[in-house]
Amino acid sequence: MNDRLQLPKVELHCHLEGTMPPPLVRRLATRNGIQLTDGLFDNNDQFVWTNFSEFLKAYDGGARCLRTGQDYHDITYEYLSSCAQQGAIYVELFASPDHAAAVGISYTEMLEGCVQAIDNAQRDHQICGRIIITCVRHLGPGQALSVAQQMVAEPHPYVVGFGMGGDETLHSPQDFLPAYRIASDAGYGCTAHAGEVCGPESVWAAIDQLPVTRIGHGVRSIEDPKLLEALYHRNIALEICPGSNIALNVYPDYSVHPLLALLDAGISLSLNSDDPPFFWTSIGKEYQRGASTFQLSEQQLLKISCMALKAAFVDEETKSQLLLQLKN
Ligand code: ADE
Ligand code: ZN
């Protein structure tokens, strides 16, 4: 496998609370005097889960060890630093105010920690980070509305988007339209997880009912040619996370993963790690796998970074500067 470490990488889909490797979760738990959830890690110090709903529970088990703005600073800084070492130049991180609120951290405190870390990582590692505030689908539309209201009431230039993760089988995207309207009307880029656990109908619902320009995952769009046409014509980009899809058994192995077919269909897409330690991946590994398993050339990988940046929610001036870095 060629070393693709130097290739400039762009990540648009990664959950901040899901970036913490087990040793960091342990460190935070000790620092905050918290007992870890029973069975969170196995004997090899890996998160324990066997299906999507167990994964979501393990995710919450890690997130509950965060207790201060400093914790948010530290996990953001550690993640951005590791991405920079893998050649990433731009990263958008999903941050969930619901997870912060569950352990008594205010939106302001969470945000201040993240913002400080973005500045520190830019200074120390020349990586640009931005935040997508995310709601959690299984917590329901009311909670999502509060999250969107909080986001627009306390704007910060590093908060550039609004998203939704969580259990795709619950509720309809339409239920979340009030939250998305607030975000979109205030100028935030919008994305939603769809077509990961559920089929193409889930992507149709998201793109027809919500003001999104990106879809988190969306891999199962490949099952519906008309949907592919719609994504292409509406210029909706897919945030593809191959390692996550295999780990969560959306596909049994890479030979049947639709990454190449989506590229062939002309769909704008990015490569992403989703929740790196849960899925034994990283942004560097995703690009490496692009080169090895999917046999993408360096030029094709660079084009993926370029498509990702074009779909990014960062302001146009910063985007232009980042695009220049891809050309050097
Ligand atoms: N939250 C964190 N990771 C997620 C994923 N892969 N799908 C849905 N919600 C998530
Ligand atoms: Zn995700």
Side-chain angles (χ1 to χ4, degrees):
M1 199 190 304
N2 288 336
D3 184 9
R4 294 291 193 287
L5 270 187
Q6 292 316 310
L7 195 126
K9 303 169 184 72
V10 173
E11 179 161 69
L12 301 182
H13 187 125
C14 184
H15 301 262
L16 179 58
E17 305 84 6
T19 62
M20 295 182 280
L24 178 54
V25 174
R26 285 187 192 286
R27 240 168 49 223
L28 291 174
T30 304
R31 175 158 108 184
N32 292 325
I34 299 163
Q35 211 172 349
L36 290 172
T37 308
D38 279 348
L40 185 60
F41 303 130
D42 64 15
N43 291 337
N44 297 318
D45 219 18
Q46 301 290 317
F47 287 101
V48 175
W49 57 272
T50 57
N51 55 38
F52 187 70
S53 67
E54 282 185 18
F55 153 69
L56 288 176
K57 283 203 190 100
Y59 184 95
D60 291 348
R64 67 175 274 284
C65 297
L66 293 158
R67 290 298 153 105
T68 64
Q70 183 68 43
D71 295 342
Y72 273 91
H73 169 277
D74 294 354
I75 66 168
T76 307
Y77 184 80
E78 290 216 8
Y79 186 64
L80 290 177
S81 305
S82 80
C83 286
Q85 276 150 22
Q86 296 165 60
I89 60 167
Y90 178 72
V91 171
E92 282 178 12
L93 281 165
F94 291 114
S96 163
D98 286 314
H99 282 86
V103 290
I105 304 175
S106 71
Y107 181 77
T108 312
E109 191 177 358
M110 178 195 86
L111 192 59
E112 277 174 359
C114 296
V115 163
Q116 191 64 54
I118 287 172
D119 283 337
N120 291 345
Q122 176 81 62
R123 179 198 64 206
D124 297 343
H125 304 292
Q126 297 78 52
I127 184 167
C128 180
R130 291 292 185 267
I131 298 160
I132 298 173
I133 293 298
T134 186
C135 62
V136 180
R137 187 157 172 164
H138 53 266
L139 297 183
Q143 201 89 346
L145 186 60
S146 311
V147 167
Q149 284 166 335
Q150 226 166 10
M151 177 183 76
V152 299
E154 222 174 299
H156 188 283
Y158 292 174
V159 176
V160 294
F162 184 71
M164 176 164 68
D167 190 343
E168 200 188 331
T169 63
L170 300 175
H171 304 285
S172 147
Q174 181 81 38
D175 303 335
F176 297 90
L177 184 56
Y180 272 85
R181 269 234 172 92
I182 284 176
S184 176
D185 288 352
Y188 293 85
C190 292
T191 178
H193 284 57
E196 177 191 19
V197 174
C198 301
E201 69 287 352
S202 161
V203 180
W204 274 120
I207 67 170
D208 282 344
Q209 297 170 11
L210 298 176
V212 292
T213 57
R214 295 186 349 212
I215 289 291
H217 299 284
V219 273
R220 295 197 52 198
S221 305
I222 202 68
E223 296 164 32
D224 181 345
K226 286 224 152 36
L227 176 55
L228 288 180
E229 257 173 58
L231 292 172
Y232 179 82
H233 288 295
R234 298 188 207 177
N235 196 24
I236 292 174
L238 300 184
E239 303 153 6
I240 304 289
C241 313
S244 161
N245 296 152
I246 301 305
L248 283 168
N249 208 23
V250 176
Y251 297 102
D253 60 63
Y254 290 106
S255 69
V256 289
H257 191 282
L259 172 67
L260 296 179
L262 290 166
L263 277 174
D264 283 347
I267 304 296
S268 169
L269 58 83
S270 52
L271 281 175
N272 306 277
S273 65
D274 206 6
D275 302 282
F278 288 86
F279 306 142
W280 311 282
T281 189
S282 65
I283 187 60
K285 282 188 186 157
E286 294 300 331
Y287 273 73
Q288 286 285 358
R289 194 179 292 117
S292 55
T293 309
F294 293 106
Q295 296 275 294
L296 293 170
S297 67
E298 197 149 333
Q299 204 179 0
Q300 285 172 305
L301 289 168
L302 205 55
K303 185 170 175 227
I304 289 176
S305 290
C306 191
M307 287 192 286
L309 263 186
K310 286 183 177 157
F313 294 150
V314 69
D315 65 274
E316 288 302 322
E317 192 187 331
T318 310
K319 190 183 285 195
S320 304
Q321 286 164 5
L322 288 162
L323 277 166
L324 281 179
Q325 287 187 48
L326 292 188
K327 300 215 167 85
N328 293 331

